[in-house]
Amino acid sequence: MPTIDQTIEVAVPISTAYDQWTQFEEFPHFMGGVEEVRQVTDTLTHWRTSIGGVEREFDAQIIDQHPDQRVAWRSVDGPAHEGVVTFEAVDAGTTRVHVETRWEPDSLVEKAGAAVGADDLQVKADLKRFKEFVENRGTETGAWRGDV
């Protein structure tokens, strides 16, 4: 399973970065290829994606979530994938966001993309757009502070 490992610093307090990340339905605003995310329950999300011409719908389960620290998930159906996003305060107004995800490419296009690192570049670009999204707003669009 390929592993993607990316980190970025965002110029917002840790609670703002974390709270925005918990707003899964906002992901299409900064994640390339994500068409829709629906929060089904506190711990279940339904995704619709279109990446490199490959369209998918799948569910993902939040398996570990602690405010201002981490959000971890794993797929319930579809190609196997899992990951964790961690949040670390660099100072009062800056947060380090670290994404580590593992996934099993299914199609030939996905396997070729993983082989040349396209998936890693996609996550890097998504994090840059997340940074722009949350910094330009200056505040989160909502929050879920539950503990899983």
Side-chain angles (χ1 to χ4, degrees), residues 17-100:
Y18 173 85
D19 288 349
Q20 185 58 60
W21 197 273
T22 66
Q23 300 307 291
F24 304 113
E25 293 181 353
E26 299 289 333
F27 280 14
H29 293 290
F30 56 85
M31 285 191 174
V34 175
E35 301 289 326
E36 177 187 27
V37 180
R38 268 186 298 115
Q39 184 89 38
V40 179
T41 69
D42 286 347
T43 61
L44 184 68
T45 55
H46 180 78
W47 295 64
R48 191 169 51 83
T49 63
S50 179
I51 301 170
V54 178
E55 294 185 10
R56 296 222 189 281
E57 284 198 45
F58 59 89
D59 292 332
Q61 187 80 41
I62 306 298
I63 56 172
D64 188 24
Q65 184 168 348
H66 305 288
D68 300 338
Q69 295 176 23
R70 64 187 286 124
V71 178
W73 74 93
R74 106 174 106 232
S75 61
V76 174
D77 57 7
H81 62 92
E82 62 187 25
V84 62
V85 179
T86 57
F87 303 85
E88 176 187 354
V90 175
D91 58 39
T94 307
T95 304
R96 185 171 296 121
V97 180
H98 177 245
V99 175
E100 184 178 324

Side-chain angles (χ1 to χ4, degrees), residues 10 12 16-17 20 130-139:
V10 294
V12 297
T16 301
Q20 185 58 60
F130 173 75
K131 173 183 174 68
E132 292 168 4
F133 183 82
V134 73
E135 286 180 356
N136 287 342
R137 288 187 51 80
T139 188

